[in-house]
Amino acid sequence: AQSVTQLGSHVSVSEGALVLLRCNYSSSVPPYLFWYVQYPNQGLQLLLKYTTGATLVKGINGFEAEFKKSETSFHLTKPSAHMSDAAEYFCAVTRSGTYKYIFGTGTRLKVLA
Amino acid sequence: DAGVTQSPTHLIKTRGQQVTLRCSPKSGHDTVSWYQQALGQGPQFIFQYYEEEERQRGNFPDRFSGHQYPNYSSELNVNALLLGDSALYLCASSQGSGVAYEQYFGPGTRLTVT
């Protein structure tokens, strides 16, 4: 079975500081990994995804994530936080042969002025 | 190009009642998935519809059922509502069944059961 763990339900960073949101997954087969962002009263928007190939994935709004198989991690980073990055972020996993996405419980990012 | 739309935006129902939520997929998409997002939780997969049939189902009871129409729009029906069904219901659309297809999410329907 697949699962996702997001460490830290709430993360606060200062504007301009590094953003690091942690995601660890469990999967017995090669995973497909995703990061989504959810702004208040809105649906989820895809930030980036990893399927195969390059392990460093670049997404929208300056975010990137690195797939580390040895650590079963897919952490999301952004070099410099902006006030507009304040939102809830979800990591998700799926695999070939299923249509089901497994989401983590989310990390709420707060950006301090 | 309209994205995924859902209706209604908010809904209040009483325990035991039935509810129908609606979703119109993004233009060009033929697959619709439904998710339940309880407060403070991540979305949980309910089921996915493709070619008017339920293709895969998550761990939800039979009280949750759905339908997909020839124009790819979809409905989620929940019978015998329980307080625990209160949640944000998200619809996501995608195209076909390609590897790691990208899902586009609608804004959701907030269901409150009293």
Side-chain angles (χ1 to χ4, degrees), chain A residues 84-107:
Chain A
S84 61
D85 295 327
E88 186 135 28
Y89 292 80
F90 292 94
C91 182
V93 65
T94 189
R95 59 172 174 80
S96 178
T98 183
Y99 306 107
K100 180 179 180 179
Y101 279 39
I102 307 294
F103 283 84
T105 52
T107 297

Side-chain angles (χ1 to χ4, degrees), chain A residues 49-111:
Chain A
K49 68 178 182 181
Y50 168 80
T51 54
T52 58
T55 56
L56 182 61
V57 181
K58 295 187 184 298
I60 62 172
N61 301 339
F63 285 95
E64 63 182 37
E66 186 170 9
F67 171 64
K68 292 187 176 180
K69 184 178 178 181
S70 61
E71 298 177 9
T72 60
S73 68
F74 191 58
H75 300 332
L76 181 71
T77 60
K78 182 174 180 178
S80 176
H82 192 273
M83 297 298 288
S84 61
D85 295 327
E88 186 135 28
Y89 292 80
F90 292 94
C91 182
V93 65
T94 189
R95 59 172 174 80
S96 178
T98 183
Y99 306 107
K100 180 179 180 179
Y101 279 39
I102 307 294
F103 283 84
T105 52
T107 297
R108 185 168 298 278
L109 176 66
K110 186 175 182 179
V111 181

